[in-house]
Amino acid sequence: MFEVKPYPELSWSLSRHKTMLSCLRKYAYDYYVSHNGWLRSADTLAKQAYRLKKMTNLEMHFGSVVHDLIYQTIQCVLKNQPVMTEQDFMDEVRHHLNRGFIESTKKEHLWMNRPKHYTMLHEIYYSQTDTLPEAKVRKITDRLQKTVSNFYSSKTFTDVQNKEQMKFMESETFRFLKTDEAKVYIVMDLVYKDLDHDKWIIVDWKTGKASDEDRNQLALYALYLQNKHEIESLDDIIIRNEYLVDGTHVEHQLTEQDLINVQHLYQISMEQMKLYLEDAVKNEPLPIDQFPMQDDPRVCARCNYQELCFPS
């Protein structure tokens, strides 16, 4: 039975860590103030923060749609069901993007009441217009065909179609490692074992640019897989980034030092998070004014919580 708790469970993820580094006020809104904001009985601030938390932007929405359709396409292959053509895939992406635009411009009232089930684009919400920036639209339009074409010709999709030689793991929405302090959440796009070469392969689809943080993310995935399946050697795990915009893939062979580094990052990050707790046992945060605001206007311009930080 679902239990309503006054404070959320303390957890850790790389995205939570990055949010804390980017802006502590946003961190507070994301992980504390918005808690229970989905409940009808929640107070006005919690509802508002939860709603704003669910807002997206054009690039993020595009990436989310592509990831969902890739998952569906792979499931069709594995279940021997008909697979969309590249053109059908592109048409489906356009359909979802158009629907997100319509929901943002014509159905704001639905999003206000059920933000988890409707799309609101940051570019529409804060511009108070019914148009998207032309440069962004061109960027996504240009990215669409490349991304879809590169997915269909990717190393990983070739492996998927050669499924008799591969063993695919059940996809779980949330995977986590349990530590003494908290659950460490990990979301992996695809995991399978190459039976011919006796190698585990973790795949992460990227619809944007490569990042310096990719390696820590991959090390966390490897740590999870090693624990979950009792894999003795890291040599048996291949981590692959599929960069869909430029059609390249990069495979990483991680070392024990990579795992030590990500565990060290986790420990330092958790210590920092606990500095902003009134009660560590309850995971009760300090008052909101104890979470400093970001002073870089460029960061604020991209943030979902502008109306809370800078009420007009």
Side-chain angles (χ1 to χ4, degrees), residues 62-262:
F62 172 76
S64 177
V65 168
V66 170
H67 272 77
D68 288 347
L69 291 173
I70 284 175
Y71 173 79
Q72 292 173 29
T73 303
I74 289 173
Q75 290 304 304
C76 285
V77 174
L78 299 182
K79 295 174 183 177
N80 296 312
Q81 295 172 349
V83 175
M84 287 186 289
T85 64
E86 288 186 35
Q87 186 59 54
D88 289 339
F89 193 115
M90 284 191 287
D91 289 344
E92 195 66 18
V93 174
R94 289 191 189 98
H95 166 72
H96 284 282
L97 294 179
N98 287 335
R99 188 172 74 182
F101 176 75
I102 290 168
E103 289 177 3
S104 298
T105 54
K106 297 184 173 12
K107 300 183 179 181
E108 182 179 353
H109 61 291
L110 297 176
W111 172 77
M112 292 285 286
N113 292 314
R114 301 180 71 199
K116 187 177 179 180
H117 301 280
Y118 291 89
T119 301
M120 175 54 69
L121 295 171
H122 185 284
E123 295 88 347
I124 298 291
Y125 188 79
Y126 280 115
S127 70
Q128 289 297 298
T129 66
D130 289 349
T131 58
L132 289 166
E134 287 185 18
K136 278 199 172 189
V137 174
R138 283 197 303 271
K139 178 181 173 183
I140 295 299
T141 302
D142 178 58
R143 189 172 285 188
L144 174 58
Q145 186 163 4
K146 293 177 185 175
T147 298
V148 175
S149 177
N150 290 332
F151 161 65
Y152 276 84
S153 62
S154 66
K155 163 71 173 163
T156 299
F157 193 55
T158 302
D159 279 0
V160 170
Q161 291 171 305
N162 189 28
K163 58 184 183 292
E164 288 73 19
Q165 277 68 51
M166 308 292 162
K167 179 185 177 184
F168 291 85
M169 302 298 107
E170 278 297 315
S171 177
E172 299 160 12
T173 306
F174 289 103
R175 298 178 170 92
F176 61 85
L177 282 166
K178 192 81 171 82
T179 72
D180 292 338
E181 296 176 293
K183 286 180 179 177
V184 178
Y185 281 105
I186 296 144
V187 181
M188 294 187 283
D189 291 337
L190 186 65
V191 183
Y192 58 98
K193 190 171 186 180
D194 183 333
L195 300 177
D196 285 346
H197 300 94
D198 198 28
K199 297 282 187 183
W200 291 85
I201 300 170
I202 304 174
V203 179
D204 198 50
W205 305 104
K206 296 291 187 186
T207 56
K209 296 177 181 177
S211 165
D212 293 338
E213 296 158 345
D214 288 351
R215 196 168 185 91
N216 279 332
Q217 182 182 24
L218 300 170
L220 198 56
Y221 293 170
L223 188 63
Y224 168 85
L225 198 67
Q226 197 174 30
N227 279 270
K228 176 81 172 176
H229 295 282
E230 299 179 351
I231 301 167
E232 290 186 13
S233 173
L234 276 176
D235 292 339
D236 296 330
I237 301 175
I238 295 171
I239 309 276
R240 183 185 301 148
N241 278 134
E242 291 275 10
Y243 295 104
L244 297 177
V245 175
D246 60 11
T248 62
H249 73 267
V250 178
E251 293 188 347
H252 304 264
Q253 188 62 64
L254 298 176
T255 66
E256 290 294 338
Q257 188 60 48
D258 287 310
L259 301 193
I260 292 169
N261 290 346
V262 77

